[in-house]
Amino acid sequence: MTSDCLFCRIVAGEIPATVVHETDTTLAFRDIAPKAPVHVLVIPKAHHTDVVEIAKADPGLAGQVLAACAAVAEAEGLPEGGFRVIFNVGRNAGQEVFHVHAHVLGGRPLGPMVMA
Ligand code: AMP
């Protein structure tokens, strides 16, 4: 838990979130500013800054985050139509919250992968 980290505070229950899936090690909740009909953020409960850092520090936990993404997609009915999983890393990707999170997006055609 990092007290100045927004997503650690959601894990701690200090900031409300609409939780859609939870395991011992992961939490998934709806994005506050959804970019698609389904837009869920999947995080490890432990603090890691980004996908590169978690992959090096705890690859097993990184795999659990991916498994949670798959479970969320199933629960939201996304696999049939297809969906997207995005990890933003750093400045060029526009990462705003430095607690690793996967965006699970779907529910409509999502358009080109990278916006101009
Ligand atoms: P990123 O740009 O990859 O760091 O994405 C951060 C995401 O967190 C954005 O899509 C925000 O809309 C989302 N977000 C910020 N604050 C909250 C919150 N309190 N609850 C849910 N999602 C949030």
Side-chain angles (χ1 to χ4, degrees):
M1 163 86 184
T2 305
S3 61
D4 59 353
C5 170
L6 174 64
F7 288 174
C8 283
R9 296 186 68 194
I10 287 176
V11 171
E14 295 173 6
I15 293 175
T18 303
V19 172
V20 298
H21 186 265
E22 183 170 11
T23 69
D24 288 348
T25 58
T26 68
L27 190 70
F29 51 91
R30 297 202 188 280
D31 196 291
I32 203 168
K35 306 294 190 296
V38 175
H39 187 174
V40 173
L41 302 177
V42 179
I43 68 170
K45 290 181 177 176
H47 185 83
H48 292 275
T49 55
D50 60 40
V51 72
V52 174
E53 191 263 307
I54 193 175
K56 290 178 180 170
D58 194 341
L61 181 56
Q64 289 166 16
V65 171
L66 289 182
C69 290
V72 166
E74 288 275 355
E76 298 286 330
L78 300 182
E80 186 181 347
F83 61 102
R84 189 170 286 160
V85 178
I86 296 173
F87 288 93
N88 289 321
V89 181
R91 183 164 41 92
N92 280 353
Q95 185 177 2
E96 295 172 354
V97 180
F98 288 84
H99 181 131
V100 60
H101 50 281
H103 297 256
V104 178
L105 296 149
R108 65 162 168 77
L110 294 170
M113 187 167 67
V114 178
M115 300 301 179

